[in-house]
Amino acid sequence: KMFDRFKVIGESLFLLGMNDPKSGNISVREEDKIYITKRNCWLSNLKEYDLIAVPVDCDSAEDAEASVDLPVHRAIYQGTQHKAVIHAHSPYLCALSITENKIMLPETKGSMIFQNGVPITRLRQGISSEEAARTIVSNFTSGYRATAVKGHGFFVAASSLEEAYEWAVCLENSAKIIAITKMIPDKQAVQQQQQQSRPYEHRKRSAIPPSIGVMDRRTTTSSYGRGPKR
């Protein structure tokens, strides 16, 4: 049953920390219909009335009840062969999207699924705008499997809801690995810092052995200067 699939994945995204209770949205395409979560619904605890069907090819009166991201979902279905879309506000990916322009996944699974990386889009007109729909679907038609919006979250599109979920979780896990790696100090920088914290070890050593005291040095010098004592 479609609702059961939506409910399990919506709750799982919340439990994994990828959405707060009411953020994110999910959709599936079946023939000429889009089944999508409603706006302001609790994705963490979906009810059957939280799903709504709208047309793929045109606007409808039901659009007002659907997620505010419906224009992006609809554009993806109109421009690609994808059958499912997940939008999440996962924190690690959001954090990276603020500082990066594109994310290349470092670990094995992430690099296999997202071979071309994940582009990060900066929007001027907001996530519900025509600009968002046009820009995001352009990334999917260019071969990307996910696209991030700077400071907002990401969209994953796939051939099934379960596949989209797998890819979404993989993307956030990879983003977490990148973020943790950035917190690990650079080895060379650490070595330089350690050297700077031990300046006395790098001073030029005196030619006079440290066992000879100051008074010994003076006595030796004056004896050479005055000659033997009479």
Side-chain angles (χ1 to χ4, degrees):
K1 188 177 177 180
M2 184 181 298
F3 168 72
D4 293 334
R5 296 162 66 201
F6 272 70
K7 183 174 178 61
V8 167
I9 289 175
E11 182 178 357
S12 181
L13 290 171
F14 167 70
L15 293 175
L16 290 172
M18 295 175 63
N19 280 323
D20 64 44
K22 296 181 71 174
S23 70
N25 37 73
I26 302 171
S27 73
V28 168
R29 175 180 182 171
E30 283 199 350
E31 298 180 354
D32 61 348
K33 294 287 186 182
I34 300 171
Y35 293 88
I36 189 169
T37 48
K38 289 183 178 180
R39 65 184 62 192
N40 297 320
C41 72
W42 291 73
L43 205 65
S44 61
N45 187 24
L46 284 175
K47 309 299 181 184
E48 290 201 48
Y49 54 75
D50 289 324
L51 295 187
I52 191 168
V54 298
V56 172
D57 296 324
C58 61
D59 297 342
S60 69
E62 288 77 17
D63 288 7
E65 296 183 65
S67 166
V68 293
D69 294 330
L70 171 61
V72 175
H73 291 248
R74 180 176 275 145
I76 292 171
Y77 294 129
Q78 289 176 348
T80 72
Q81 298 299 311
H82 293 304
K83 300 296 184 183
V85 175
I86 289 178
H87 172 50
H89 294 206
S90 53
Y92 284 95
L93 193 284
C94 283
L96 290 179
S97 74
I98 295 172
T99 60
E100 309 296 325
N101 294 316
K102 186 176 183 179
I103 299 173
M104 298 303 297
L105 289 303
E107 45 82 39
T108 304
K109 184 175 181 179
S111 62
M112 289 177 61
I113 294 175
F114 304 98
Q115 295 180 10
N116 300 321
V118 178
I120 298 173
T121 299
R122 181 189 294 273
L123 299 176
R124 296 181 179 180
Q125 300 175 10
I127 192 62
S128 303
S129 64
E130 291 184 7
E131 175 203 19
R134 182 177 63 254
T135 305
I136 290 171
V137 75
S138 175
N139 288 332
F140 284 111
T141 56
S142 298
Y144 293 105
R145 289 180 167 178
T147 183
V149 178
K150 191 169 285 289
H152 180 73
F154 67 85
F155 290 84
V156 168
S159 60
S160 70
L161 187 55
E162 289 72 23
E163 185 176 57
Y165 170 73
E166 178 189 2
W167 292 358
V169 174
C170 176
L171 178 55
E172 176 64 355
N173 285 340
S174 293
K176 185 183 297 186
I177 291 171
I178 295 173
I180 293 172
T181 302
K182 286 178 176 290
M183 292 187 289
I184 299 174
D186 179 74
K187 184 177 181 180
Q188 184 176 359
V190 170
Q191 290 176 341
Q192 292 177 349
Q193 185 177 9
Q194 289 174 343
Q195 290 175 355
Q196 292 172 0
S197 66
R198 299 194 300 267
Y200 295 105
E201 294 182 10
H202 300 283
R203 285 183 176 178
K204 186 177 180 181
R205 293 185 177 181
S206 172
I208 302 174
S211 59
I212 301 179
V214 175
M215 294 303 295
D216 294 328
R217 297 177 196 172
R218 290 178 179 174
T219 304
T220 304
T221 304
S222 62
S223 297
Y224 280 116
R226 292 197 301 266
K229 185 176 181 182
R230 295 182 183 274

